[in-house]
Amino acid sequence: MDVKDFKPNGMQLGEFGQIVLVLQGGGALGSYQAGVYQALHEAGIEPDWIIGTSIGAINASLIAGNSRQNRLSRLREFWKKVEQSPVWDFDNLFPGFSGKLSYWSTVTSGIRGFFQPRLLAHAGDDFPLGADHAGYYSTAPLQRTLAEFVDFELMNAGKPRLTVGAAHVRSSEMHYFDSRKCRLGIEHIMASGALPPAFPAVRVDGELYWDGGILSNTPTEAVFDDLPRRNSLIFSVHLWNPSGDEPVTMSEVLNRHKDVQYSSRITSQIARQQQVHRLRHVINQLAARLPEAERNSSAVRELASYGCTTRMHVVRLLAPQLECETHTKDIDFTPSGIMQRWDAGYAHTRSVLARRPWLGDFDPLSGVILHEHMDELPAAAE
């Protein structure tokens, strides 16, 4: 089925429980997430819960912090604001040179509306910048952008629920700030994206936090650990490829290293959750086979409480690798890079919605069912 022929036909997904959108961290790669949301939005599917880390937290705040009719336009405005265009285009004469020029422009000048160089950071490794400023770049521009684009009163209204992940600097523990449990502000979003050593840690309630991606860049775990557990249809958006070829050049080594590091062992995490939830279903069915008198005893009730009947469908959407992609892809804020990834997220999600893999008969003991979608990059628009 051609993507452009897809019609949502008012899909009813409520029977699958809550709709959850999980967004990885990945800098410029996050434009893929915006394309995913566009496809969901046009299909009339709005998430009940959005969980994000780093750029995923920023995209999530733009969605949760705006009314439904303004969400897509705000995403477009943000990604337009952070575009980095080279002054000159030399690709006709020197293929790939414009990309390198854009990279060095980002490194030396930062990204408008996002971050700017902190010159004192180059005064020496032992120069006392202070805990709140120890980073090569200042993210003050991002703070102003979020204040402009996000309605924090609306974001805390709970529709959708918003959760952002950050790493506690002193304890090395992952912390999820949840709009169901506390009021979220600019500092929580900024903390989730404070990737060291580029960006300084952000203080929340007196404590410093770094980008959650350094501990867990794929925050699907927040859904699995949530209580009470609920039936869920989870769109888990991945920006880093957990699988790849053996690298044979140093450029390929650097690129593969980032993919391995930031894909966050998601394959093993999902496999583990499938085992755990299967055991919960087994416990539930075993308890049902006991005589009623035994089932009602306090000891058996306590043991049976470890069982569960919930089912979680995880739809994994994986961003494609662009041609000639390198380890600098996460700071590729060029208009073409942003557009290609956005279009890929849009096309992949429409294709998934057309197939509806969560429909059908599944093993009754399966509590977590993984549906993978890794299409090739769609053709560029003419």
Side-chain angles (χ1 to χ4, degrees):
M1 177 179 182
D2 195 298
V3 169
K4 65 178 181 295
D5 296 328
F6 169 62
K7 300 289 189 300
N9 295 323
M11 267 182 285
Q12 298 298 315
L13 301 182
E15 63 184 287
F16 296 96
Q18 62 182 346
I19 307 299
V20 186
L21 182 59
V22 178
L23 306 176
Q24 261 192 354
L29 307 180
S31 57
Y32 179 85
Q33 299 169 345
V36 170
Y37 175 74
Q38 180 185 356
L40 293 174
H41 178 82
E42 290 181 358
I45 301 168
E46 292 296 335
D48 301 297
W49 186 9
I50 312 178
I51 308 167
T53 296
S54 198
I55 193 65
I58 293 172
N59 279 330
S61 72
L62 292 166
I63 298 169
N66 283 284
S67 59
R68 187 185 186 283
Q69 63 268 26
N70 293 330
R71 290 170 181 170
L72 193 54
S73 62
R74 281 305 196 193
L75 282 168
R76 291 193 184 282
E77 289 171 12
F78 171 81
W79 284 98
K80 185 68 177 176
K81 187 162 190 171
V82 299
E83 279 185 358
Q84 176 67 283
S85 302
V87 178
W88 300 285
D89 187 349
F90 294 102
D91 275 354
N92 289 334
L93 295 174
F94 308 104
F97 184 77
S98 292
K100 292 182 183 298
L101 187 63
S102 178
Y103 164 75
W104 284 110
S105 176
T106 299
V107 169
T108 58
S109 302
I111 291 292
R112 177 177 60 100
F114 202 151
F115 57 90
Q116 61 191 23
R118 188 187 303 278
L119 298 181
L120 283 178
H122 300 279
D125 291 347
D126 296 322
F127 187 84
L129 294 167
D132 299 88
H133 303 287
Y136 288 113
Y137 298 90
S138 165
T139 51
L142 176 60
Q143 184 173 10
R144 293 190 291 269
T145 298
L146 290 174
E148 178 185 355
F149 287 174
V150 177
D151 181 339
F152 286 88
E153 289 296 328
L154 190 60
M155 192 179 78
N156 283 284
K159 294 183 179 181
R161 175 184 177 185
L162 176 62
T163 302
V164 298
H168 188 229
V169 173
R170 291 193 304 107
S171 68
S172 303
E173 292 183 359
M174 190 70 178
H175 187 89
Y176 287 104
F177 297 104
D178 190 335
S179 64
R180 178 177 289 182
K181 301 175 182 177
C182 69
R183 179 177 177 80
L184 300 184
I186 288 181
E187 68 275 17
H188 298 91
I189 311 303
M190 299 279 291
S192 184
L195 182 65
F199 303 150
V202 174
R203 201 171 294 277
V204 178
D205 297 329
E207 294 291 330
L208 285 177
Y209 291 88
W210 273 327
D211 190 313
I214 65 176
L215 286 178
S216 180
N217 198 39
T218 309
T220 314
E221 62 190 16
V223 186
F224 297 134
D225 294 339
D226 194 41
L227 294 174
R229 283 182 290 274
R230 294 179 58 189
N231 289 336
S232 303
L233 177 55
I234 304 164
F235 293 94
S236 186
V237 188
H238 294 218
L239 305 178
W240 305 91
N241 201 325
S243 303
D245 296 330
E246 295 181 353
V248 296
T249 68
M250 287 310 300
S251 177
E252 291 175 359
V253 166
L254 293 170
N255 190 31
R256 186 69 198 129
H257 172 241
K258 272 193 174 180
D259 276 334
V260 170
Q261 180 179 8
Y262 291 119
S263 61
S264 289
R265 308 183 309 280
I266 185 58
T267 302
S268 60
Q269 287 179 10
I270 291 292
R272 175 65 173 163
Q273 289 297 333
Q274 287 175 320
Q275 293 172 347
V276 169
H277 280 259
R278 187 177 187 86
L279 286 174
R280 289 187 176 122
H281 281 227
V282 167
I283 290 171
N284 194 68
Q285 292 206 13
L286 285 174
R289 293 173 180 269
L290 293 174
E292 185 175 354
E294 294 218 10
R295 221 169 37 236
N296 290 329
S297 71
S298 58
V300 171
R301 284 203 305 269
E302 181 181 354
L303 293 172
S305 68
Y306 290 94
C308 186
T309 61
T310 58
R311 171 165 286 172
M312 301 184 185
H313 289 270
V314 181
V315 179
R316 185 165 75 164
L317 294 154
L318 179 60
Q321 296 191 43
L322 305 187
E323 187 178 358
C324 301
E325 193 170 83
T326 71
H327 68 284
T328 65
K329 57 192 173 184
D330 52 334
I331 58 170
D332 174 20
F333 287 92
T334 59
S336 61
I338 289 173
M339 180 193 69
Q340 287 182 78
R341 292 188 173 94
W342 184 306
D343 289 348
Y346 181 69
H348 288 180
T349 307
R350 285 171 65 94
S351 177
V352 159
L353 294 178
R355 292 191 298 107
R356 308 180 195 187
W358 48 84
L359 296 178
D361 296 323
F362 301 96
D363 183 348
L365 293 180
S366 294
V368 175
I369 302 170
L370 178 64
H371 310 281
E372 303 215 50
H373 186 86
M374 294 176 281
D375 280 357
E376 296 298 319
L377 185 68
E382 298 181 0

